[in-house]
Amino acid sequence: MQESRLFKIMYYLLDKGHATAPELAKKFEVSVRTIYRDIDALSGAGIPVYAETGRNGGIHLMDDFVLDKAVLSKEEKQEILSALQSVHALQHTQSPTLQKLSAMFKLGFDDWLEVDFSRWGNPGNDNEKFDLLKFAVIHRRKVKIQYANSCERTSERIVEPFRIVYKSMAWYLKAFCTQKQDWRIFKLNRILNLEILEESFPLRGFPEPPEPVSQKSCRMELRFPKEMAYRIYDEFDKTQIKRQPDGTFLVSVSMPQDAWLMGFLLSFGTQVEIRSPKSLKDAVAKMAKQIYEKNSETLT
């Protein structure tokens, strides 16, 4: 019981700055004499606690106790600095707090993280878009967006933004769509314009995703020339890739066999050879032929 009270006294002093013995006695429902014994016990354990007399006196902890000595280990201090740096990297700002804490912890910190949402060669307004959506999520403000879906149709939506998510090399917005009265996931790159509205909304819980529907998977073996290395490592896990003696790549992977897979394979153009299965190879060749015929008619 005494050990628990000692910790409570310590954290009370950390929070309040200082306290009188009668104040602590009342707070922890013990006598003033017991409080003084507790203070002696804390001091004997190496906690830098001291008492001052006079009008503004009382029981104090040394100012740098939390940040310099007993409560935080070196690893915990590094974690705090790293977490703060991550936050300010997303805000694109310098952090006076980070610099102060680094000095108080007596630890240097490496500027190890930079977050830039703009696309290579086309800065655009990606960083501003992210900042606006972050504001809307935090302050629960509705947002009017102009969105281009995967079918190339553009629509205007009013959404209640819930969370910004990074997944598979892209940023997405989870939001409740007021038109559809349902949850939707919007790819940030396809949000063409957005406007934060004055109207706020109550927080909703994002529904748990349903169990995935069983879908036929296709086990493929693909060959790529060495010039495609940059994209191979973007699209596939290293465990799925085997470098061949001639420098080419063999990729063995299973993917759902659907329209997306056809488009994905066609996106490699002439740089992919589908070694198996033959049915997939024939299907892609047939679609490529249809594309050729359609566009060659336009040329003639």
Side-chain angles (χ1 to χ4, degrees), residues 78-286:
Q78 290 284 12
E79 287 178 7
I80 289 172
L81 293 177
S82 296
L84 279 174
Q85 189 178 4
S86 301
V87 170
H88 286 278
L90 290 174
Q91 293 175 340
H92 317 295
T93 61
Q94 298 296 319
S95 171
T97 305
L98 187 60
Q99 295 169 351
K100 289 177 183 178
L101 282 179
S102 177
M104 295 176 79
F105 287 156
K106 297 181 181 177
L107 291 174
F109 68 93
D110 296 322
D111 192 9
W112 65 276
L113 179 66
E114 178 180 346
V115 179
D116 186 350
F117 299 99
S118 61
R119 284 159 277 194
W120 291 106
N122 182 25
N125 64 347
D126 293 328
N127 287 324
E128 181 184 2
K129 182 193 301 181
F130 183 90
D131 289 339
L132 289 172
L133 289 173
K134 180 181 69 176
F135 176 88
V137 170
I138 293 172
H139 297 279
R140 298 183 193 171
R141 295 271 292 276
K142 290 187 178 182
V143 178
K144 181 191 291 186
I145 64 172
Q146 183 184 16
Y147 188 72
N149 65 17
S150 56
C151 299
E152 300 181 3
R153 288 195 293 269
T154 301
S155 61
E156 197 170 82
R157 315 277 190 95
I158 294 177
V159 301
E160 300 173 0
F162 172 72
R163 183 174 293 158
I164 299 174
V165 179
Y166 183 80
K167 186 174 179 64
S168 186
M169 298 183 291
W171 287 93
Y172 298 87
L173 175 68
K174 289 182 176 180
F176 186 83
C177 177
T178 58
Q179 281 95 325
K180 303 292 184 180
Q181 283 296 296
D182 201 359
W183 290 95
R184 292 291 187 270
I185 297 178
F186 302 96
K187 194 170 185 177
L188 259 61
N189 285 347
R190 294 182 190 163
I191 298 177
L192 307 180
N193 293 296
L194 68 91
E195 176 189 352
I196 297 179
L197 305 178
E198 292 296 329
E199 187 178 356
S200 60
F201 59 90
L203 184 64
R204 304 172 187 260
F206 191 81
E208 290 295 324
E211 290 295 321
V213 178
S214 178
Q215 192 171 15
K216 183 181 178 183
S217 288
C218 178
R219 183 71 183 175
M220 303 176 293
E221 185 176 84
L222 312 171
R223 183 193 290 273
F224 297 93
K226 59 184 179 182
E227 292 79 14
M228 291 296 289
Y230 73 96
R231 189 172 172 194
I232 300 307
Y233 289 112
D234 277 350
E235 302 287 358
F236 305 102
D237 186 80
K238 65 179 182 180
T239 59
Q240 300 166 334
I241 304 168
K242 288 185 179 179
R243 188 78 181 257
Q244 302 301 296
D246 62 356
T248 60
F249 295 90
L250 277 184
V251 175
S252 297
V253 62
S254 292
M255 289 186 174
Q257 188 168 348
D258 54 17
W260 180 89
L261 177 60
M262 300 289 284
F264 174 70
L265 293 172
L266 285 168
S267 71
F268 289 98
T270 60
Q271 300 299 310
V272 60
E273 175 192 350
I274 303 171
R275 294 169 59 89
S276 66
K278 185 177 183 303
S279 58
L280 180 64
K281 183 172 186 173
D282 292 343
V284 171
K286 181 179 179 181

Side-chain angles (χ1 to χ4, degrees), residues 56-96:
N56 295 317
I59 299 167
H60 302 256
L61 283 168
M62 292 188 68
D63 292 341
D64 63 350
F65 168 65
V66 174
L67 300 176
D68 188 45
K69 294 290 183 186
V71 176
L72 298 175
S73 67
K74 181 179 179 181
E75 290 74 20
E76 289 169 330
K77 294 172 187 176
Q78 290 284 12
E79 287 178 7
I80 289 172
L81 293 177
S82 296
L84 279 174
Q85 189 178 4
S86 301
V87 170
H88 286 278
L90 290 174
Q91 293 175 340
H92 317 295
T93 61
Q94 298 296 319
S95 171

Side-chain angles (χ1 to χ4, degrees), residues 30-47:
V30 294
S31 67
V32 172
R33 181 176 296 180
T34 298
I35 290 296
Y36 280 122
R37 283 201 299 265
D38 289 344
I39 297 305
D40 287 340
L42 286 170
S43 181
I47 306 299

